Amino acid sequence: MQPCPENEVLQRCDALLRDLLAHEDALASGSGREAAWLDAHLPLGLPAAGQPLDEVFARMAAVLKATPSSSSWRFLNQLFGGREPVAAAAESLAAWRNVSMYTFKAAGAQVLVEKQVLSHMLQKVGFGAGEAMFTPGGSLANLAALLVARDRADPQQRDAGARSGLTVYASSEAHYSIGKNAGIAGLGRRALRAVPVDRLGRMDVTALAALMESDRREGLRPLMIVATAGSTVRGTFDDIDGIATVARSTGAWLHVDGALGASLVLSRKHRHLLHGVDRADSVSWNPHKMMGVPLQASVLLLAERGGLARSLDERADYLFQSDEDELNPGHRSLQCGRRADAFKLWAAWQHLGDEGWEARLDRQMALAAHAADRVAADPALRLCERPMSINVCFEVEGCPAEALCERLDREGRLKIGHGDVAGRRALRLVCVNPALTDKYLGAILDEIKSAARRLNKATC
Ligand SMILES: *Cc1c(COP(=O)(O)O)cnc(C)c1O
């Protein structure tokens, strides 16, 4: 992968932005044209070979100039418009930090900023004793309100569900969102059936078939199987092809949770890990993980058309006033207002091409294999298993992983987490940053070992 010279990127951004702002009074170029015209005239196709920055910025400029600015005085179409320039700057600056707001450990001062804003807003509406959260749009805020109201009225619903009988199957190492969503969707969290895993953390396909069969005999209705492609702790891949065969024979929907690992379909060397993915009904894929696109960039792919509108379409004549449904993705979205997350992925794809992504992914996989070799060769460390993808799990002899991670964080040395690997707590080193080198890996392992020594000295 070509290193991206950040100074040059910033200079070009500055120039492009000034150009865009200077012409903001007009509506977008090509505005009033059919989508088909823009499709034919804009440089939209994704290349196999990465393009130089000149060319990428020219293509971005062409597309941005054909994108309306909601800050143009001519843009009165929606319930938003007229930017606060500082807010726009902050949005771009935050992308250069690129953290996720789930923990203070990961997001630092951003968590405190959020608390300030929320408590100020609570005060303003007179909810001094209340609580609040950010959501991706008002639609999901409304969903959350409905769920909170439902569960106050009937505390059983979240676990037991309103319509019992539908079941969801996922490995015991699947992501926590699977059970959470069963609660949200009204199936009840108990509808999730945890399927045991083999030694490497892969779903036991024979156990899956047996569990589905016995559930069916008891009158339950198996709805969905979730195969995990890149599990959250160990980075393992379920046998998608084997699971697809069970799904076909039972009529259950097959979803592949590829939030972490679906990116590997772009690697000729590693796509075998996803063998059978084309037999699934749906796949989730997070470009904000292995592909390094700023949060949030998450995609759900469905094998057949029609399902999204069937589940999500609403009539809203104050919103959907022109063009056919195909050009109005709002008919097929969980959200109403929604960030243009595709753009950053598209721009990166222009620069890297399929080949650049492949090189990035192969590099991440090679780094993980190399890190595993180093861990295995080190007498102070115990490698849990050969990694299937980019998560390298290991223990430090004589030192509990929880305390070690805590200490590394508190001393400002490393932010690293731990997870359960076959019943033991292990450090999880995720080789997602392709800029890591052998030298950095050595320094990371040295930090871990010397923190373990300090910790052991302190406790005895
Ligand atoms: C990260 C992850 C998710 C959740 O994705 P978010 O974008 O963080 O919501 C789901 N499943 C798996 C396997 C993941 O690794």
Side-chain angles (χ1 to χ4, degrees), residues 175 177 228 230 232 257 259-260 286 288-289 298:
H175 190 260
S177 59
T228 303
T232 310
D257 180 358
L260 175 59
N286 275 3
H288 71 226
K289 287 184 169 166
S298 302

Side-chain angles (χ1 to χ4, degrees), residues 386-409:
R386 295 297 310 174
M388 268 180 92
S389 58
I390 58 169
N391 298 8
V392 183
C393 296
F394 61 98
E395 294 177 72
V396 180
E397 297 291 352
C399 192
E402 294 98 316
L404 187 51
C405 292
E406 174 77 26
R407 180 154 190 132
L408 281 161
D409 186 35

